[in-house]
Amino acid sequence: MHALSIPTWIIHISSVIEWIAAIWLIWTYGEITGNRYWWALSAAMLPALVSAMCACTWHFFDNLDSLEWLVTLQASMTVLGNCTVCVAAWWIWHCTRQKDPNKIDKSI
């Protein structure tokens, strides 16, 4: 556990807690509004959470060479998470445009 300083650990752990809170808040917002596409965004955020947990786990065990596969998993989950959040954001945009087809972006 000596791989990171205490302030760095605080940042790592608080980031994971914040991400969990964001997932929960977005899910709750979807329940309150009845818009299920928000649930898709909260589910799309899970690979990024797995990525963060991989990083914390690897650092917790002092960056052991035997756990280096976690680095690959973390990188893969980051890419997957970025893609899933992008698709979920597009889905939210698409669904909100369908609800009001008369909305025309006049800023173009």
Side-chain angles (χ1 to χ4, degrees):
M1 225 172 109
H2 305 298
L4 302 178
S5 66
I6 297 297
T8 305
W9 271 115
I10 291 169
I11 291 168
H12 273 59
I13 293 169
S14 64
S15 295
V16 170
I17 292 169
E18 289 171 8
W19 200 252
I20 292 169
I23 291 170
W24 177 74
L25 288 170
I26 292 168
W27 184 274
T28 303
Y29 181 75
E31 285 181 340
I32 290 170
T33 61
N35 296 325
R36 292 184 180 207
Y37 44 80
W38 289 103
W39 294 352
L41 178 60
S42 63
M45 294 170 71
L46 291 175
L49 178 61
V50 171
S51 173
M53 291 176 151
C54 287
C56 289
T57 302
W58 193 57
H59 291 317
F60 182 80
F61 291 105
D62 290 329
N63 305 341
L64 283 176
D65 289 338
S66 62
L67 294 177
E68 197 162 321
W69 59 271
L70 282 172
V71 177
T72 305
L73 181 60
Q74 185 223 354
S76 301
M77 289 293 104
T78 298
V79 170
L80 179 64
N82 289 344
C83 292
T84 57
V85 168
C86 179
V87 170
W90 175 84
W91 184 247
I92 291 170
W93 174 81
H94 176 74
C95 290
T96 55
R97 296 281 295 179
Q98 278 187 331
K99 283 188 176 186
D100 190 3
N102 294 326
K103 266 189 186 174
I104 298 174
D105 188 6
K106 295 180 181 178
S107 65
I108 299 176

